[in-house]
Amino acid sequence: MGDMTNSDFYSKNQRNESSHGGEFGCTMEELRSLMELRGTEAVVKIKETYGDTEAICRRLKTSPVEGLPGTAPDLEKRKQIFGQNFIPPKKPKTFLQLVWEALQDVTLIILEIAAIISLGLSFYHPPGESNEGCATAQGGAEDEGEAEAGWIEGAAILLSVICVVLVTAFNDWSKEKQFRGLQSRIEQEQKFTVVRASQVVQIPVAEIVVGDIAQIKYGDLLPADGLFIQGNDLKIDESSLTGESDQVRKSVDKDPMLLSGTHVMEGSGRMVVTAVGVNSQTGIIFTLLGAGGEEEEKKDKKGKMQDGTVDASQSKAKQQDGAAAMEMQPLKSAEGGDADDKKKANMHKKEKSVLQGKLTKLAVQIGKAGLVMSAITVIILVLYFTVDTFVVNKKPWLPECTPVYVQYFVKFFIIGVTVLVVAVPEGLPLAVTISLAYSVKKMMKDNNLVRHLDACETMGNATAICSDKTGTLTTNRMTVVQAYVGDVHYKEIPDPSSINVKTMELLVNAIAINSAYTTKILPPEKEGALPRQVGNKTECGLLGFVLDLKQDYEPVRSQMPEEKLYKVYTFNSVRKSMSTVIKLPDESFRMYSKGASEIVLKKCCKILNGSGEPRVFRPRDRDEMVKKVIEPMACDGLRTICVAYRDFPSSPEPDWDNENDILNDLTCICVVGIEDPVRPEVPEAIRKCQRAGITVRMVTGDNINTARAIAIKCGIIHPGEDFLCLEGKEFNRRIRNEKGEIEQERIDKIWPKLRVLARSSPTDKHTLVKGIIDSTHTEQRQVVAVTGDGTNDGPALKKADVGFAMGIAGTDVAKEASDIILTDDNFSSIVKAVMWGRNVYDSISKFLQFQLTVNVVAVIVAFTGACITQDSPLKAVQMLWVNLIMDTFASLALATEPPTETLLLRKPYGRNKPLISRTMMKNILGHAVYQLTLIFTLLFVGEKMFQIDSGRNAPLHSPPSEHYTIIFNTFVMMQLFNEINARKIHGERNVFDGIFRNPIFCTIVLGTFAIQIVIVQFGGKPFSCSPLQLDQWMWCIFIGLGELVWGQVIATIPTSRLKFLKEAGRLTQKEEIPEEELNEDVEEIDHAERELRRGQILWFRGLNRIQTQIEVVNTFKSGASFQGALRRQSSVTSQSQDVANLSSPSRVSLSNALSSPTSLPPAAAGRECESYCLGHHRRQRRVGRRAGAGAPRTWGAASYD
């Protein structure tokens, strides 16, 4: 069924439904059309057609309280009639499609053309050949052997192209397979709570059927469409479907429609499921997308395909995700028009990662060098030939000789192409991909589930981490350890007999009823273990307190079931408290309240004394209590929670919507201090971060004293240091001007010293993160990582360079906005992520150091050889072996080095540090000098040293000479030993350190050596090799070993002396132009752009391969998984649109960029732009604002478009 297209699936369901419609009181068609209505029309329709929601439940043969019976036949029947909660995935790309995509690489296309020309010419015998009057170039004499041997070179090039393409396609294919595997694993893990046969059970999202009663709560992502039947204070963010950012309040009588793919932002309740899978609102949109997908793709192939089209990656990521995955961007792109596109441009997630920027820069530099070299080669060869022929030998140009001359010129062109091919490190995209993919795989073991590949590398450059306190730095196992009850402050759990009976009864009721009924304490799984806490941890702590007082909360709850609760004010970040109203037997009302102690105590005007009677509680009593009870508790690192109640008369009934009046005049029952111990491994992890140059800041909703105490325990702050601990209010006061607007200069005064932000709202967290990222206070732009678990952390997680969501405690929304999910919710896993991130960067530097040495040597040898002897000592096929095997294998060997703790001993590299440092440049040039000296020595005096025939100026097509074979063999041996040198890039002496920890490396070095023996001894004509004697082999290996000795010599030269060495691949400050200057600098940018646009676009495609390979893993996502793909796409389109319109920054229209056939493919353009200007999307944001996208962005809209 997975292979069925959406439309087949849909029509099959239609048929089913028409045959079975009668078994239930309503058909799928009716329910579908009902779910398309909104608000009051829906209520009217339900009333007219069915009566009420209860009646719909009866027709669907389900009970609002007990749920479905849950028997297998019943569930099966429902699946047949109403469909499954599953959206069939698009067919995966076939292997041939992947091969075709790999063939789009420009470097490969150039090679193919060269090979085909070469093949064609080898079979083409021009008439002028016999003409004695035509000149012949030295070393290029045509003879009858040419026809037999000439095709070998062309065929070998084609063979190598086929190898590269197959490797790439296979890589992509296996990745796609892995990705689908991961996707289905995530799908199985995605559970939802439903009621079946009166039992509350969690079932996989795909198992939900029409008629199920689902329990929904804060932070959920709705997996199917349904009708709201009971609940309190439910607010839904429907922006993913409607694009409206305001939260929609749901109620049974005003708007009961709950739609799949929307987020629960507040409250809780139950719904009856009415549509699943392809029939849900999200499913319908997918069906449209799926049907429209095919034609789209053909159109897109031309440009967008390069970077994974929106469509493909969306649906790919998406439909595999089953029904949980429902986010609706495509709607907006279809009809949103201009303003929306601008919004999309502004919301673009992050600028290009540091590494990508530097690689692009380096690629351009190498591309230029290669083009120049190959052009010079061709020019020299052509000039040499023409001067030699027509000037020195004074031969006339005869018409019948033209084809012969053309053939020579083509041969020169091929030599030029060979030089270019050697210059371009085509192993680079592979190395990056392998390194990232390997790291991501290994990070899974370290509890990091990476959802965006580049996040892994960005993490290595992190300079600041803003962490939550609860659950990340602490164990999130709450226990009450102190209490203030009946005028007594107990330093440990009081004896139950010492508490007044009336007080005790109120306390137990207040805690049992005024907490989510999903929160429970279950018996331990193993003997002697701690009881299991399920649900909200703070509430678990309070329920544990009830159990410690030898009381039981279950009877209270069974007496007052959830349906009987009169009104619930759920906890949110504004109220910082939760209250529940119940109706007492005498028709009067009682409200229980609990929340942050300083907030709830402000609303108390009475307090229960020792005998359980309320006494007056004046503001000065409150101040005294804060001083004597709350502050000492907070200074011990405890969270203080106040529990209170209030009675209301039965008539007149209070106006429950007037919260300010209701949540007032409370009577305090008790104040408890809840301990959440610091995780034992956190202080060490934070110390490692600080040593690695990363500042850790704590952002928490807790009381400032509690936060400070925990921060000291963790080691975030050390007594006696100069640091700031602020509360949210104070923070806002300091960063806003008189008009209440946030000013960057004010934030810059605060953030460098800020270590703890307490009582902060989600907006404060977002403001802080944005403030640090936008700051120009330090010379390096700060790279900020953020942890979050709540729905309200979404904006901050999105804004950060790397967002970490909690795998256990995190809500779907938080996971959705994040880049990496911490599967164990532990801060020390973040340190592992930093280590892996730095390792990726280093691995790629190692690879570059090795790769560029090979390239420099090969280019110079090919160049000088071609110019001096008209025949390169390293033949094209040998070059390709060096290139292919060395590139691919070396990228495997060097990219899979495991990280070590020493990576954490240095500061982050930052954006301005070049990819190739002076030390690396010293190594590259140093080793190149050694290798070139030896190769040229062998080339010009080798025959004398070994007493063999000279290979120079041998007649063409004489059998391969031993002389040139020795040169080729020595060259490969030197590369092999230099690969060991390349393992260290910071000038360390011991290059063998930890070599056995990387079995892949050892295998590859030995494997390459073995294959080399085979090639030399048995390669024969295709490889231009002749077998060597043992003593000749010994010499080759000996010269290779010299590399290791030479490496030690190079390490002794102090880098500081070599001021003349240039670094490469640096992102300069010019690329991060501050906003103000950007207006005047449009000219400069255009210039930079023209620079970039020349021949190297060719090279961008090489890099493009990275993107294409990453495309599949592109959305390593749980939950609704194509936002990443979309965001990435929108960032790419937004940048390409800037390329198209650089001249007129005030008008940005997306359609222009995509429709004008001349504009670059978004992929290339996007990457170009990013590489030359990182400050650039700041301008974009401003442009967007100017063009009318200036409405204040609340987070609902911001996060999803």
Side-chain angles (χ1 to χ4, degrees):
M1 196 175 71
D3 291 339
M4 239 186 265
T5 63
N6 285 349
S7 41
D8 301 351
F9 187 83
Y10 182 47
S11 52
K12 178 166 168 262
N13 272 352
Q14 295 296 94
R15 290 197 300 279
N16 281 343
E17 173 255 317
S18 54
S19 58
H20 289 280
E23 303 206 11
F24 292 96
C26 37
T27 63
M28 185 177 78
E29 206 36 47
E30 287 171 9
L31 290 172
R32 259 184 66 170
S33 52
L34 173 66
M35 291 318 292
E36 278 162 16
L37 302 173
R38 301 279 178 275
T40 38
E41 348 176 328
V43 178
V44 173
K45 170 88 174 162
I46 294 173
K47 274 220 173 65
E48 286 172 2
T49 319
Y50 304 101
D52 58 3
T53 42
E54 297 266 325
I56 293 182
C57 291
R58 282 199 295 280
R59 289 196 183 195
L60 290 174
K61 302 186 181 168
T62 179
S63 146
V65 180
E66 292 168 17
L68 290 177
T71 57
D74 177 55
L75 296 178
E76 204 39 57
K77 193 163 70 184
R78 288 173 191 272
K79 279 185 189 165
Q80 280 195 332
I81 296 177
F82 297 109
Q84 290 180 304
N85 198 16
F86 165 76
I87 294 178
K90 207 169 193 159
K91 288 197 188 93
K93 285 191 180 131
T94 60
F95 190 69
L96 287 174
Q97 279 171 308
L98 291 169
V99 166
W100 176 247
E101 270 176 31
L103 279 169
Q104 311 297 313
D105 189 339
V106 179
T107 334
L108 291 181
I109 293 174
I110 292 179
L111 273 179
E112 287 155 27
I113 294 171
I116 291 165
I117 294 175
S118 160
L119 269 177
L121 290 173
S122 68
F123 294 123
Y124 165 61
H125 301 292
E129 222 170 86
S130 51
N131 190 323
E132 292 303 311
C134 299
T136 55
Q138 171 200 4
E142 296 289 334
D143 61 12
E144 65 283 2
E146 174 71 11
E148 288 130 55
W151 61 272
I152 291 183
E153 192 165 318
I157 296 180
L158 278 182
L159 189 77
S160 78
V161 167
I162 291 169
C163 276
V164 171
V165 165
L166 289 177
V167 166
T168 311
F170 180 74
N171 251 354
D172 286 352
W173 179 78
S174 59
K175 253 191 222 99
E176 175 130 3
K177 213 172 104 190
Q178 263 179 346
F179 174 67
R180 286 187 177 243
L182 182 87
Q183 221 36 59
S184 63
R185 218 186 76 208
I186 289 174
E187 234 166 86
Q188 283 148 18
E189 280 174 9
Q190 196 129 27
K191 298 273 206 295
F192 208 78
T193 316
V194 297
V195 181
R196 284 194 179 165
S198 306
Q199 291 295 311
V200 176
V201 287
Q202 286 215 322
I203 58 169
V205 164
E207 295 293 307
I208 292 176
V209 294
V210 170
D212 258 324
I213 304 295
Q215 290 199 342
I216 50 181
K217 60 177 189 315
Y218 159 83
D220 281 343
L221 177 88
L222 299 184
D225 292 356
L227 295 172
F228 186 44
I229 46 180
Q230 174 266 319
N232 28 57
D233 223 14
L234 191 67
K235 286 190 188 156
I236 306 276
D237 170 13
E238 293 188 351
S239 59
S240 56
L241 275 175
T242 60
E244 295 298 321
S245 57
D246 297 339
Q247 294 175 11
V248 185
R249 203 187 193 107
K250 296 292 179 185
S251 60
V252 183
D253 45 0
K254 293 206 180 68
D255 182 2
M257 313 308 272
L258 298 172
L259 306 172
S260 54
T262 57
H263 288 119
V264 182
M265 301 307 282
E266 226 178 88
S268 60
R270 294 181 172 199
M271 71 170 188
V272 56
V273 176
T274 54
V276 292
V278 271
N279 302 306
S280 63
Q281 291 303 294
T282 310
I284 293 169
I285 290 167
F286 273 111
T287 314
L288 299 175
L289 271 183
E294 307 305 311
E295 301 84 73
E296 281 294 297
E297 234 168 81
K298 293 188 185 70
K299 289 206 293 276
D300 290 344
K301 264 292 201 295
K302 303 289 180 293
K304 282 207 304 209
M305 247 328 191
Q306 296 259 317
D307 214 6
T309 72
V310 180
D311 211 51
S313 33
Q314 253 169 16
S315 33
K316 185 184 311 151
K318 199 60 207 173
Q319 12 33 6
Q320 291 141 338
D321 239 21
M326 305 184 164
E327 238 40 84
M328 296 295 70
Q329 287 79 351
L331 272 188
K332 276 180 283 201
S333 44
E335 51 184 44
D338 238 32
D340 226 52
D341 291 334
K342 266 166 233 123
K343 248 192 323 197
K344 201 173 265 179
N346 300 342
M347 248 325 282
H348 126 57
K349 178 149 202 281
K350 288 152 194 174
E351 54 212 49
K352 173 165 278 179
S353 78
V354 183
L355 181 70
Q356 278 172 318
K358 290 181 181 178
L359 281 174
T360 311
K361 196 78 194 286
L362 187 71
V364 171
Q365 292 169 336
I366 294 175
K368 276 184 189 166
L371 278 171
V372 169
M373 286 296 267
S374 60
I376 293 176
T377 312
V378 174
I379 293 168
I380 289 181
L381 287 171
V382 170
L383 282 177
Y384 189 97
F385 176 74
T386 44
V387 168
D388 189 55
T389 309
F390 304 122
V391 180
V392 180
N393 297 337
K394 300 197 169 52
K395 293 203 174 166
W397 179 300
L398 302 173
E400 64 268 28
C401 290
T402 308
V404 182
Y405 294 152
V406 168
Q407 197 171 1
Y408 278 123
F409 290 146
V410 167
K411 187 174 174 188
F412 299 151
F413 170 72
I414 288 179
I415 293 177
V417 170
T418 316
V419 172
L420 175 65
V421 169
V422 172
V424 172
E426 62 275 34
L428 189 58
L430 200 63
V432 176
T433 309
I434 290 177
S435 182
L436 285 173
Y438 171 78
S439 306
V440 164
K441 219 171 170 166
K442 291 285 187 203
M443 282 168 81
M444 281 291 288
K445 291 200 177 80
D446 285 340
N447 304 311
N448 282 289
L449 173 67
V450 181
R451 297 177 51 216
H452 299 136
L453 267 184
D454 50 359
C456 148
E457 172 267 319
T458 312
M459 206 45 220
N461 287 303
T463 53
I465 297 175
C466 296
S467 173
D468 271 357
K469 175 179 76 71
T470 311
T472 313
L473 301 174
T474 59
T475 57
N476 203 7
R477 201 190 154 80
M478 310 274 189
T479 39
V480 173
V481 289
Q482 296 189 20
Y484 179 87
V485 191
D487 293 342
V488 186
H489 183 177
Y490 297 95
K491 287 290 166 78
E492 55 250 359
I493 300 286
D495 186 277
S497 57
S498 63
I499 296 178
N500 180 285
V501 185
K502 275 195 277 189
T503 310
M504 183 69 95
E505 190 191 350
L506 273 170
L507 179 61
V508 173
N509 280 341
I511 291 174
I513 294 172
N514 185 29
S515 57
Y517 278 31
T518 45
T519 305
K520 305 185 186 63
I521 295 204
L522 302 176
E525 282 173 341
K526 294 195 288 284
E527 280 290 306
L530 294 167
R532 282 180 301 153
Q533 298 188 339
V534 182
N536 179 312
K537 300 296 190 215
T538 311
E539 292 180 350
C540 285
L542 292 168
L543 292 173
F545 179 51
V546 170
L547 298 177
D548 290 342
L549 292 173
K550 311 281 184 286
Q551 304 294 315
D552 191 1
Y553 62 87
E554 283 297 350
V556 180
R557 283 186 172 180
S558 46
Q559 209 177 339
M560 177 59 67
E562 209 169 353
E563 301 78 61
K564 285 200 188 161
L565 301 180
Y566 197 79
K567 170 96 181 130
V568 179
Y569 300 93
T570 46
F571 180 89
N572 66 23
S573 50
V574 181
R575 288 188 191 122
K576 292 239 185 274
S577 68
M578 168 179 177
S579 313
T580 305
V581 180
I582 58 170
K583 208 168 191 173
L584 297 175
D586 63 358
E587 295 294 308
S588 64
F589 301 97
R590 174 169 289 172
M591 177 179 77
Y592 294 113
S593 214
K594 67 165 191 291
S597 56
E598 58 265 48
I599 290 171
V600 177
L601 279 175
K602 278 193 183 124
K603 299 177 175 163
C604 290
C605 60
K606 297 197 179 86
I607 188 166
L608 294 182
N609 60 20
S611 55
E613 296 302 324
R615 66 174 170 83
V616 180
F617 184 64
R618 292 184 297 271
R620 72 157 185 270
D621 299 333
R622 187 176 66 233
D623 298 340
E624 191 180 347
M625 184 154 168
V626 167
K627 267 201 202 69
K628 297 218 169 127
V629 179
I630 293 176
E631 281 182 3
M633 280 188 188
C635 293
D636 293 339
L638 304 183
R639 288 178 87 157
T640 54
I641 301 280
C642 173
V643 182
Y645 77 102
R646 177 181 178 183
D647 286 328
F648 295 96
S650 53
S651 65
E653 185 173 330
D655 170 10
W656 299 115
D657 289 337
N658 184 348
E659 260 181 65
N660 291 342
D661 288 357
I662 301 287
L663 299 180
N664 226 327
D665 296 339
L666 307 175
T667 305
C668 170
I669 305 173
C670 72
V671 173
V672 293
I674 298 183
E675 182 182 43
D676 183 6
V678 171
R679 288 174 180 263
E681 62 278 14
V682 162
E684 175 56 22
I686 286 180
R687 200 160 58 248
K688 280 182 190 163
C689 281
Q690 289 163 342
R691 204 170 49 215
I694 302 170
T695 312
V696 182
R697 296 183 172 82
M698 180 202 285
V699 182
T700 174
D702 247 341
N703 170 319
I704 189 156
N705 296 323
T706 311
R708 194 184 288 122
I710 299 269
I712 290 172
K713 281 185 193 166
C714 292
I716 291 177
I717 52 184
H718 303 284
E721 276 185 358
D722 181 19
F723 57 79
L724 281 175
C725 291
L726 294 180
E727 281 198 338
K729 274 190 189 142
E730 174 63 10
F731 173 69
N732 274 309
R733 197 180 60 71
R734 291 195 188 191
I735 61 170
R736 291 173 194 274
N737 59 17
E738 297 71 53
K739 295 182 193 147
E741 294 159 347
I742 296 171
E743 285 187 359
Q744 185 63 44
E745 300 80 74
R746 291 173 182 245
I747 298 183
D748 285 347
K749 288 195 185 108
I750 293 177
W751 74 258
K753 287 186 181 174
L754 182 70
R755 290 293 175 275
V756 176
L757 184 58
R759 281 278 175 256
S760 69
S761 68
T763 348
D764 298 338
K765 191 172 187 175
H766 181 251
T767 309
L768 175 67
V769 172
K770 184 174 178 305
I772 298 179
I773 288 179
D774 293 347
S775 171
T776 46
H777 184 75
T778 46
E779 74 240 52
Q780 301 274 359
R781 165 165 122 47
Q782 294 277 312
V783 177
V784 184
V786 169
T787 67
D789 51 6
T791 305
N792 44 22
D793 290 327
L797 287 171
K798 268 208 168 70
K799 177 67 193 165
D801 294 283
V802 182
F804 286 92
M806 300 300 142
I808 305 168
T811 57
D812 293 346
V813 184
K815 291 178 185 170
E816 202 31 64
S818 69
D819 301 285
I820 298 181
I821 295 175
L822 295 178
T823 49
D824 63 346
D825 290 14
N826 192 338
F827 186 83
S828 60
S829 302
I830 299 179
V831 181
K832 298 253 178 58
V834 172
M835 219 156 77
W836 276 107
R838 292 185 172 192
N839 193 48
V840 167
Y841 194 98
D842 278 10
S843 295
I844 286 163
S845 299
K846 288 174 191 175
F847 174 73
L848 274 172
Q849 175 173 306
F850 172 71
Q851 174 73 58
L852 293 179
T853 312
V854 180
N855 286 10
V856 168
V857 174
V859 168
I860 292 177
V861 168
F863 176 70
T864 46
C867 298
I868 296 166
T869 63
Q870 256 86 70
D871 180 23
S872 170
L874 294 172
K875 298 286 178 291
V877 184
Q878 299 175 344
M879 274 304 193
L880 285 162
W881 152 247
V882 170
N883 237 343
L884 239 181
I885 305 303
M886 290 296 187
D887 281 10
T888 316
F889 283 8
S891 61
L892 254 177
L894 293 168
T896 52
E897 290 268 309
T900 56
E901 287 283 327
T902 48
L903 288 169
L904 293 175
L905 299 178
R906 62 170 175 78
K907 299 271 177 278
Y909 280 141
R911 290 180 173 266
N912 309 359
K913 176 124 168 46
L915 197 56
I916 295 178
S917 60
R918 277 225 176 93
T919 315
M920 286 168 63
M921 201 55 110
K922 176 183 78 174
N923 291 343
I924 291 172
L925 296 177
H927 287 292
V929 166
Y930 173 83
Q931 296 184 10
L932 286 169
T933 315
L934 282 163
I935 286 174
F936 285 134
T937 310
L938 287 174
L939 180 60
F940 295 113
V941 294
E943 69 272 29
K944 299 193 186 75
M945 290 161 57
F946 287 105
Q947 277 102 42
I948 46 176
D949 299 333
S950 165
R952 290 195 313 285
N953 306 342
L956 214 72
H957 309 305
S958 53
S961 65
E962 284 186 344
H963 183 191
Y964 275 16
T965 308
I966 289 177
I967 294 178
F968 165 58
N969 200 21
T970 309
F971 181 67
V972 174
M973 288 303 125
M974 291 196 288
Q975 301 322 328
L976 264 185
F977 287 102
N978 193 29
E979 198 167 332
I980 300 174
N981 280 331
R983 291 183 65 246
K984 301 289 174 216
I985 49 174
H986 299 300
E988 297 91 330
R989 289 246 176 225
N990 180 5
V991 289
F992 291 101
D993 177 36
I995 196 164
F996 296 112
R997 288 226 315 277
N998 186 359
I1000 303 182
F1001 185 86
C1002 306
T1003 323
I1004 282 175
V1005 171
L1006 296 172
T1008 315
F1009 186 63
I1011 302 174
Q1012 178 64 15
I1013 295 178
V1014 175
I1015 287 181
V1016 170
Q1017 298 306 93
F1018 311 106
K1021 196 116 189 206
F1023 277 97
S1024 325
C1025 286
S1026 93
L1028 297 180
Q1029 313 297 321
L1030 187 65
D1031 60 327
Q1032 292 166 338
W1033 263 103
M1034 288 291 110
W1035 273 106
C1036 293
I1037 294 174
F1038 176 71
I1039 294 174
L1041 277 167
E1043 269 288 2
L1044 294 174
V1045 182
W1046 184 248
Q1048 296 301 316
V1049 175
I1050 294 178
T1052 9
I1053 305 172
T1055 316
S1056 49
R1057 291 284 170 83
L1058 308 172
K1059 287 277 186 287
F1060 59 86
L1061 284 184
K1062 275 191 60 165
E1063 301 133 326
R1066 157 202 284 270
L1067 285 180
T1068 50
Q1069 284 292 316
K1070 195 175 89 179
E1071 279 135 56
E1072 303 191 78
I1073 307 167
E1075 287 189 42
E1076 301 72 51
E1077 296 157 39
L1078 261 161
N1079 297 335
E1080 304 96 78
D1081 280 3
V1082 172
E1083 289 312 300
E1084 191 179 340
I1085 290 176
D1086 279 343
H1087 166 70
E1089 238 230 291
R1090 278 199 299 279
E1091 275 285 300
L1092 276 162
R1093 267 232 181 130
R1094 291 203 199 105
Q1096 329 71 333
I1097 290 175
L1098 173 153
W1099 222 79
F1100 276 104
R1101 306 302 151 70
L1103 258 193
N1104 204 6
R1105 211 193 295 169
I1106 305 176
Q1107 230 84 358
T1108 325
Q1109 288 174 330
I1110 289 178
E1111 171 196 327
V1112 208
V1113 196
N1114 189 328
T1115 29
F1116 244 57
K1117 293 200 152 197
S1118 69
S1121 82
F1122 67 84
Q1123 266 133 22
L1126 206 79
R1127 269 199 301 268
R1128 194 152 289 120
Q1129 187 61 29
S1130 71
S1131 84
V1132 168
T1133 38
S1134 67
Q1135 272 144 345
S1136 71
Q1137 107 208 348
D1138 258 31
V1139 173
N1141 300 301
L1142 265 170
S1143 48
S1144 60
S1146 57
R1147 196 185 129 272
V1148 178
S1149 124
L1150 213 131
S1151 51
N1152 284 5
L1154 291 181
S1155 57
S1156 69
T1158 51
S1159 71
L1160 278 163
R1167 276 194 296 282
E1168 272 192 70
C1169 274
E1170 280 176 299
S1171 68
Y1172 75 70
C1173 178
L1174 290 164
H1176 167 96
H1177 80 286
R1178 297 183 197 153
R1179 169 162 131 263
Q1180 217 169 281
R1181 263 189 304 215
R1182 202 179 52 257
V1183 172
R1185 282 206 289 279
R1186 206 178 306 147
R1193 312 281 309 271
T1194 58
W1195 108 255
S1199 55
Y1200 294 114
D1201 29 273

